Amino acid sequence: MTSTPSETHLEMRLKVVLPTKILIETGAIKVIAEAENGIFCLLPRHIDFVTTLIPSLLSFVSAQGQEQFLAIDQGILIKHGDQVTVATQYAVSGGDLGMLRKTVEEQFRLIDEREKTARSVLAKLEVNTIRHFIELGQYRTPI
């Protein structure tokens, strides 16, 4: 038995890329995301385009019909043919929105703590560098 085109599901390939890994690479029949000018929906025969994404939820319906959610930082979405690629600095996946919210809060708390530590280390490095320049100036020999 052969299936007609109306009986088969068209499918896109969704890939979510982070700086250190590929978070998701799966089939999807619908992708919903948010750009600066609003929320949009991609279906398999949607035209090709590129847009910037704002920090928001990205949802997609898998080829099996399950809706899944990702919390993403700002990023870029590229749709080319049946390939949808999202590149973002941070993203967290979760099955349901309640679990996703908890995961996002934990991840962003960790990121915030790391950023505070990095800023503190950088400030100490700057102070030490300035101190060394001052000390070097004190030991200059007159011409």
Side-chain angles (χ1 to χ4, degrees):
M1 179 175 161
T2 58
S3 59
T4 64
S6 63
E7 293 173 345
T8 60
H9 285 317
L10 294 175
E11 184 177 310
M12 299 175 288
R13 296 299 306 162
L14 173 64
K15 182 191 280 188
V16 178
V17 181
L18 304 178
T20 59
K21 66 179 181 178
I22 296 173
L23 181 64
I24 291 178
E25 190 166 9
T26 187
I29 56 175
K30 178 166 55 170
V31 177
I32 299 172
E34 187 171 358
E36 288 184 6
N37 59 347
I39 296 172
F40 61 93
C41 175
L42 298 174
L43 297 172
R45 291 189 178 163
H46 196 283
I47 63 169
D48 295 349
F49 75 99
V50 176
T51 189
T52 57
L53 301 175
I54 62 171
S56 58
L57 283 180
L58 181 140
S59 66
F60 66 95
V61 177
S62 71
Q64 296 77 29
Q66 297 174 316
E67 187 173 27
Q68 297 183 30
F69 299 95
L70 297 164
I72 62 164
D73 193 7
Q74 62 190 10
I76 296 175
L77 181 141
I78 301 168
K79 165 118 180 20
H80 181 72
D82 66 348
Q83 183 73 36
V84 177
T85 304
V86 174
T88 182
Q89 187 75 24
Y90 303 109
V92 179
S93 63
D96 64 59
L97 292 176
M99 188 174 110
L100 182 60
R101 180 179 178 191
K102 288 179 184 177
T103 305
V104 167
E105 287 173 353
E106 291 171 10
Q107 290 293 321
F108 287 164
R109 190 175 311 118
L110 285 173
I111 290 167
D112 190 43
E113 289 172 8
R114 289 180 190 146
E115 287 177 353
K116 285 179 185 176
T117 302
R119 282 192 295 269
S120 174
V121 168
L122 184 59
K124 289 177 185 176
L125 181 62
E126 289 172 350
V127 167
N128 285 335
T129 302
I130 292 169
R131 186 177 297 132
H132 287 303
F133 278 123
I134 291 170
E135 290 172 0
L136 283 173
Q138 291 175 355
Y139 295 110
R140 280 182 65 188
T141 55
I143 298 181

